[in-house]
Amino acid sequence: MGLPTEKKTLAFRGQFVHTPAYGVLDLLLDKIMIVKDGKIVKMAPGAEEEAVLKTFDLDASCVRRLEEGQFFLPGLIDTHVHAPQYKFTGTGTDVPLMEWLQKYTFPVERSYEDAEAAKYRYNLLVKRFLSNGTTTATYFGSLHLQPNLILVDTIEALGQRAVVGKVNMDRESPDMYQETTEQGLAEAEEFVKYTLAKKSTRIYPCITPRFIPTCTIEIMKGLAGIAKKYNVHIQSHISECCGEVKCVRQQHPEYKTDALVFDDVGLLTDKALMAHGTLLTDDDIKLLAARGTSVAHCPLSNFFLGDACFR
């Protein structure tokens, strides 16, 4: 995968598969497609190649032609990625979630404070995604501000489309991997402003309280305010597993479910994406639907750590 091609005019000819609506699959045989400034501007029958190329002042040698048996398809989308966890992909599935965070996740995520390590690992991550056809992803970053800026810069340089969030955690986390409420809110806003300042059509900032067990009511309300101020996305984890749900009930006995906590602090919106949701109640699902909030169900993670399957 080369550098972004947003300012170039490209031509492709072959078979195209796409899904214009849910449950609909179209196969377009022998078409020529023109992409200009990062957008599809023309799709025509292959037999019209000469006329199409002339319209866009392109030579036939510029056309990327697929071989027999090959086809184009829309890029894949991953709606829940913990970018720092790429370092231990496919391992560390031997303990329940709450123990898993302490044993594997927090120490690895903290290691991204090393800027050079962050640059190296995030470059590998984004390149691997693109090589496997994942052209869009929603990323959780880590706690510290600088590695998240590096992640945004890496995505921009390599040409992926992404929603990216700096993780916030101001309680129930290791001393070496926890922020104060004030620091967390300040850095979350700084991250949003940094990402928006790029004026990119491909990269969007996201408010990212990790999940209720590691976020106080105060920081969640503050983050909701930032999301509203800048009209940006929100992501977190909701009703993920028995251990997480039990923890939240102990922290907040006044709330029956995670969804009611998130709603009360203002984090359930039509720009919010909640991960897992395996233990959502029927009333929770109705509430999320009413708020326009989406769920990333993460089947593999649910199998290993979620104690249930998404309904």
Side-chain angles (χ1 to χ4, degrees):
M1 173 63 65
L3 293 175
T5 56
E6 292 168 336
K7 300 303 181 183
K8 298 179 181 179
T9 301
L10 306 172
F12 304 92
R13 183 169 176 177
Q15 330 309 328
F16 293 81
V17 178
H18 79 135
T19 52
Y22 183 76
V24 178
L25 181 69
D26 278 356
L27 176 60
L28 308 177
L29 299 177
D30 190 24
K31 301 292 183 180
I32 183 163
M33 172 191 284
I34 304 298
V35 178
K36 185 175 183 179
D37 298 335
K39 296 182 179 180
I40 299 172
V41 294
K42 182 71 174 180
M43 175 77 82
E48 298 178 13
E49 176 181 318
E50 185 176 352
V52 171
L53 293 179
K54 185 176 181 180
T55 299
F56 292 93
D57 195 26
L58 294 173
D59 187 84
S61 62
C62 298
V63 181
R64 170 72 182 273
R65 304 176 192 279
L66 294 195
E67 299 176 3
E68 184 177 356
Q70 295 181 329
F71 56 90
F72 291 98
L73 75 163
L76 303 176
I77 301 171
D78 194 323
T79 56
H80 186 66
V81 182
H82 284 271
Q85 294 174 23
Y86 176 68
K87 188 173 184 289
F88 63 99
T89 299
T91 65
T93 58
D94 58 319
V95 293
L97 174 69
M98 304 305 279
E99 183 180 346
W100 175 81
L101 290 170
Q102 301 289 339
K103 182 177 180 181
Y104 297 108
T105 304
F106 292 157
V108 168
E109 290 189 6
R110 185 191 177 209
S111 72
Y112 281 72
E113 272 193 287
D114 180 338
E116 292 306 312
K119 290 176 184 177
Y120 175 74
R121 295 171 190 165
Y122 284 151
N123 187 62
L124 291 178
L125 167 67
V126 177
K127 282 184 175 179
R128 183 166 183 178
F129 262 128
L130 290 171
S131 68
N132 289 328
T134 301
T135 56
T136 303
T138 302
Y139 288 107
F140 276 62
S142 56
L143 181 73
H144 303 104
L145 178 61
Q146 188 59 33
N148 294 295
L149 305 185
I150 291 171
L151 177 58
V152 169
D153 291 344
T154 302
I155 293 166
E156 181 183 38
L158 294 174
Q160 194 181 34
R161 182 180 299 277
V163 175
V164 189
K166 173 222 167 306
V167 168
N168 284 102
M169 303 191 299
D170 67 339
R171 69 171 173 183
E172 299 299 328
S173 306
D175 290 340
M176 51 73 176
Y177 198 60
Q178 182 173 303
E179 63 196 351
T180 65
T181 304
E182 295 75 16
Q183 177 190 17
L185 292 174
E187 291 192 353
E189 185 164 15
E190 186 176 346
F191 174 80
V192 168
K193 291 166 67 175
Y194 178 86
T195 308
L196 290 176
K198 290 183 174 293
K199 300 186 183 302
S200 172
T201 60
R202 292 185 290 99
I203 308 173
Y204 304 91
C206 186
I207 290 300
T208 307
R210 186 180 206 104
F211 63 167
I212 297 169
T214 60
C215 294
T216 61
I217 295 294
E218 183 181 0
I219 200 169
M220 287 191 286
K221 286 184 176 180
L223 291 170
I226 295 171
K228 183 176 182 179
K229 177 180 178 180
Y230 294 96
N231 190 30
V232 296
H233 297 279
I234 297 166
Q235 63 180 343
S236 190
H237 302 80
I238 191 168
S239 300
E240 180 175 356
C241 67
C242 294
E244 180 269 329
V245 168
K246 181 180 178 181
C247 179
V248 175
R249 297 296 77 74
Q250 291 172 342
Q251 291 174 324
H252 301 288
E254 69 275 23
Y255 294 101
K256 290 184 178 180
T257 67
D258 288 12
L260 293 174
V261 179
F262 281 126
D263 192 45
D264 196 43
V265 299
L267 288 170
L268 292 188
T269 73
D270 60 0
K271 295 180 78 71
L273 175 63
M274 295 288 164
H276 305 293
T278 59
L279 299 176
L280 289 169
T281 67
D282 289 343
D283 285 342
D284 289 338
I285 293 171
K286 291 176 183 177
L287 176 59
L288 265 64
R291 299 291 184 262
T293 299
S294 302
V295 176
H297 62 88
C298 312
L300 186 60
S301 176
N302 293 343
F303 176 81
F304 284 116
L305 300 169
D307 298 329
C309 295
F310 183 71
R311 299 188 281 154

